[in-house]
Amino acid sequence: MALLVFSFFLIFVISSSSNAQPSPGYSPTSKFRTIDFYRGFNNLWGPQHQKVDQNALTIWLDKNTGSGFKSKIPFRSGYFGAAIKLQTGYTAGVITSLYLSNSEAHPGFHDEVDIEFLGTTPGKPYTLQTNVYIRGSGDGKIIGREMKFQLWFDPTANFHNYGILWSPKEIIFFVDDIPVRRYPKKSAYTYPLRPMWVYGSIWDASQWATENGKYKANYNYQPFVARYTNFKASGCSAYAPISCHPVSASPYRSGRLTQQQYNAMRWVQTHYLVYNYCRDYKRDHSLTPECYR
């Protein structure tokens, strides 16, 4: 009997330890300096729904409008991030985002790299959606490259750091310095190479945001509030000389992730990945050839 109890205890310990959050062993957030909001960004829309207090930005959505901001300069590579705190309660239909885009420079044929928090209903977790659009795949007939995650913490309780590393050879998405997704360049046709700006916003996406549009934004719960701080935007601007070397989010100057970072990413994708476009048999993967290369 004692042996049986010990066996169950050992199985419990192994199972618990395998689901414990690993350390990535490296902190990009601490390596790049925090920039003042007004030094790095401008309001893009909804100025009456945006305020800054001691470099902490608050934006909100109500029945009249949401709000968004944009970096003052475009980049051709870099590390971009912010600490974000989301609203609790009913937030269905509401998107809070941090992303790169050149939609204003290339309307109808733009590139985009997204971190989006999909609002939810009470008792259900937020979904973190990462996405990549290339050369107009986000315009007209949408061809998304979504990977969705549920988080291993409550994103409404405290600020957490979210980041995007974009280099000429790969895009890596980070949550609290843990790489959660790596999107390598496999061809010029499946990778964003044109300069992009950094954006953030809160807006109503009731048509699709929450359980494919099943639940809509309910303005009885307004305002819907998002808070940002610890802004990062470091790298090669579009105006930098060609000699500007892309920044790294690992200890290696090449940018290659360490084995510890890969192990942390594997932990996230094993336990918290809820959707991968490459594994969706309903999708036409002739439009996303990178899934098979």
Side-chain angles (χ1 to χ4, degrees), residues 80-198:
F80 313 99
I84 302 173
K85 184 179 180 181
L86 303 175
Q87 178 162 313
T88 191
Y90 188 100
T91 56
V94 178
I95 295 288
T96 303
S97 67
L98 179 72
Y99 63 104
L100 311 177
S101 179
N102 50 32
S103 59
E104 293 174 277
H106 305 285
F109 193 65
H110 82 288
D111 308 297
E112 188 169 315
V113 179
D114 294 332
I115 289 178
E116 296 175 310
F117 301 92
L118 312 185
T120 188
T121 55
K124 295 183 179 180
Y126 272 90
T127 296
L128 171 67
Q129 175 169 278
T130 64
N131 206 349
V132 180
Y133 292 119
I134 299 104
R135 296 176 175 270
S137 69
D139 304 292
K141 182 180 179 182
I142 304 297
I143 305 169
R145 292 167 168 83
E146 304 93 340
M147 287 181 68
K148 301 179 184 180
F149 304 84
Q150 291 182 347
L151 297 167
W152 49 98
F153 53 81
D154 179 0
T156 71
N158 295 294
F159 284 92
H160 289 269
N161 291 299
Y162 306 90
I164 299 169
L165 175 82
W166 172 43
S167 80
K169 63 181 181 180
E170 64 186 354
I171 297 165
I172 304 174
F173 298 86
F174 292 86
V175 176
D176 282 342
D177 292 324
I178 294 179
V180 299
R181 176 185 182 182
R182 177 176 176 267
Y183 182 88
K185 178 188 175 186
K186 295 186 177 180
S187 79
Y189 299 101
T190 61
Y191 197 80
L193 295 169
R194 298 174 295 179
M196 292 190 281
W197 286 257
V198 188

Side-chain angles (χ1 to χ4, degrees), residues 179-227:
V180 299
R181 176 185 182 182
R182 177 176 176 267
Y183 182 88
K185 178 188 175 186
K186 295 186 177 180
S187 79
Y189 299 101
T190 61
Y191 197 80
L193 295 169
R194 298 174 295 179
M196 292 190 281
W197 286 257
V198 188
Y199 292 81
S201 63
I202 187 167
W203 57 289
D204 186 335
S206 290
Q207 297 86 349
W208 61 270
T210 306
E211 298 185 33
N212 295 317
K214 179 179 179 181
Y215 297 99
K216 314 293 185 184
N218 184 337
Y219 288 100
N220 289 324
Y221 297 97
Q222 70 177 24
F224 302 103
V225 178
R227 295 179 173 86

